[in-house]
Amino acid sequence: MKRFIKLVEQAYKQLALFFQPSYSFTIADDLPVKLEKHRVYILGEPSDPWAVALECPCGCHSIIQLNLLREAKPRWEYSISHNRAITIKPSIWRKAGCKSHFFIRKGKIVWA
């Protein structure tokens, strides 16, 4: 019975991920005044970005900015797949406010 429950939970997570909206990305010189939902902003020159930013996916409307500079810590990295889906590593964990903890993998939010 425990195995069945585990399988159902895994199927539910996969199904929820399938129906979740995908995050797209935009390269911008500066952060816009109003951020679009489900969009990651890559800030700086395309060859030398310095940050990524997005609206918190929990719905609290906070702006999350993540450092990409190699010499600074903490820092994140992003990659774009062949079908233009963005992945950000490591996880994003807000220590204040809503305290959301999640990953962005292949354009989808995966809650930790």
Side-chain angles (χ1 to χ4, degrees), residues 23-24 26 28 30-43 52-57 61-66:
Y23 273 67
S24 58
T26 298
D30 293 308
L31 192 61
V33 175
K34 175 80 172 125
L35 274 63
E36 292 180 38
K37 286 186 176 191
H38 311 297
R39 182 170 299 274
V40 174
Y41 294 87
I42 301 169
L43 304 175
V52 296
L54 66 146
E55 186 176 287
C56 186
H61 303 292
S62 294
I63 297 172
I64 298 172
Q65 294 188 49
L66 305 171

Side-chain angles (χ1 to χ4, degrees), residues 16-26 35-42 52-64 66 78-81 83-88 92 94 100 102-111:
L17 196 59
F18 178 76
F19 287 107
Q20 181 187 81
S22 291
Y23 273 67
S24 58
F25 67 92
T26 298
L35 274 63
E36 292 180 38
K37 286 186 176 191
H38 311 297
R39 182 170 299 274
V40 174
Y41 294 87
I42 301 169
V52 296
L54 66 146
E55 186 176 287
C56 186
C58 81
C60 73
H61 303 292
S62 294
I63 297 172
I64 298 172
L66 305 171
Y78 75 92
S79 60
I80 308 296
S81 69
N83 61 346
R84 300 187 46 84
I86 188 164
T87 295
I88 298 175
I92 301 163
R94 297 196 63 216
S100 290
F102 59 94
F103 297 85
I104 299 179
R105 291 188 181 143
K106 297 180 183 173
K108 301 283 189 176
I109 299 296
V110 179
W111 295 99

Side-chain angles (χ1 to χ4, degrees), residues 60-78:
C60 73
H61 303 292
S62 294
I63 297 172
I64 298 172
Q65 294 188 49
L66 305 171
N67 175 46
L68 298 174
L69 298 174
R70 292 184 190 276
E71 56 276 350
K73 290 191 179 183
R75 77 176 182 95
W76 285 260
E77 296 178 353
Y78 75 92

